[in-house]
Amino acid sequence: MAKGSSYEREVCKLLSKWWTDGHTDAVFWRTSNSGGRATVRGSKGTTNQHGDICATDPVGLPLLRVFALEIKRGYPRSTIHDLIDSDGTPKGSYASWISQAKASQKLAGSKSWMILHKRDRREPTVTLPDPIFMNLLHTSGLEKPAPPFAITSYGADVLATIRLDAFLSNITPLAVAVLGK
């Protein structure tokens, strides 16, 4: 399985195909320096460079209006359970990823955030705020996703985690675009 930046490219192609119903794999790509350029520049007018993915085609902008996307590859010992095991003190990979995703969301002006995580020899997962996920499910015509999925509380946040393949097969790009309006 791909590491770091090559996994980000793999995810960008997958999201592009999902977003365009298989027509192209070139709608999304890695942001400059994995979002580092936007972080360094702060509020100096950097657009479409927050998080790990940007739109290389304007057709992809609705996804980024809804989500600041963070992609994590590796971290074999990091799981969503780290949040459940937490005493409420932010620590561990998921806690830092959530903070990073929220910061990217704020800088990008997105409605929400999403973390895509691929551990070694495991299926990739998506973690996002549960209210956003439930809204997307409803707009996609579903009451609940196909299992497996998990709902987790972390501080004031309620989070949904689902396998990436299940997210892409349950949530329609149209539902995301509608939420972004």
Side-chain angles (χ1 to χ4, degrees), residues 10-69:
E10 186 179 309
V11 169
C12 289
K13 289 177 182 180
L14 179 67
L15 290 176
S16 293
K17 287 184 176 183
W18 167 69
W19 192 255
T20 64
D21 197 25
H23 289 98
T24 182
D25 66 357
V27 172
F28 302 107
W29 203 245
R30 298 178 62 231
T31 55
S32 178
N33 237 2
S34 271
R37 183 168 192 269
T39 301
V40 169
R41 289 182 51 82
S43 60
K44 295 179 182 163
T46 303
T47 58
N48 196 27
Q49 291 292 310
H50 301 283
D52 288 330
I53 296 177
C54 67
T56 57
D57 184 317
V59 73
L61 291 175
L63 177 67
L64 301 179
R65 279 196 283 276
V66 176
F67 293 113
L69 299 157

Side-chain angles (χ1 to χ4, degrees), residues 14-179:
L14 179 67
L15 290 176
S16 293
K17 287 184 176 183
W18 167 69
W19 192 255
T20 64
D21 197 25
H23 289 98
T24 182
D25 66 357
V27 172
F28 302 107
W29 203 245
R30 298 178 62 231
T31 55
S32 178
N33 237 2
S34 271
R37 183 168 192 269
T39 301
V40 169
R41 289 182 51 82
S43 60
K44 295 179 182 163
T46 303
T47 58
N48 196 27
Q49 291 292 310
H50 301 283
D52 288 330
I53 296 177
C54 67
T56 57
D57 184 317
V59 73
L61 291 175
L63 177 67
L64 301 179
R65 279 196 283 276
V66 176
F67 293 113
L69 299 157
E70 293 292 332
I71 301 174
K72 304 300 176 190
R73 174 67 178 98
Y75 306 93
R77 294 188 177 125
S78 297
T79 73
I80 196 72
H81 290 93
D82 295 340
L83 299 179
I84 296 168
D85 295 339
S86 168
D87 61 2
T89 306
K91 57 187 170 205
S93 296
Y94 265 86
S96 66
W97 298 343
I98 290 169
S99 294
Q100 181 182 9
K102 285 180 175 182
S104 292
Q105 170 195 351
K106 183 178 179 183
L107 289 170
S110 300
K111 290 189 180 221
S112 191
W113 54 268
M114 179 187 294
I115 298 167
L116 296 92
H117 180 208
K118 170 70 174 114
R119 295 186 304 148
D120 296 338
R121 296 178 296 283
R122 300 287 189 255
E123 293 297 320
T125 60
V126 173
T127 300
L128 67 158
D130 183 63
I132 297 293
F133 181 57
M134 291 301 159
N135 186 321
L136 291 171
L137 278 174
H138 177 73
T139 306
S140 295
L142 300 170
E143 289 186 33
K144 62 181 182 175
F149 70 97
I151 305 298
T152 309
S153 292
Y154 176 65
D157 295 317
V158 178
L159 310 174
T161 300
I162 187 169
R163 284 177 29 172
L164 177 57
D165 60 349
F167 180 88
L168 297 177
S169 65
N170 279 272
I171 304 301
T172 65
L174 179 60
V176 176
V178 166
L179 184 60

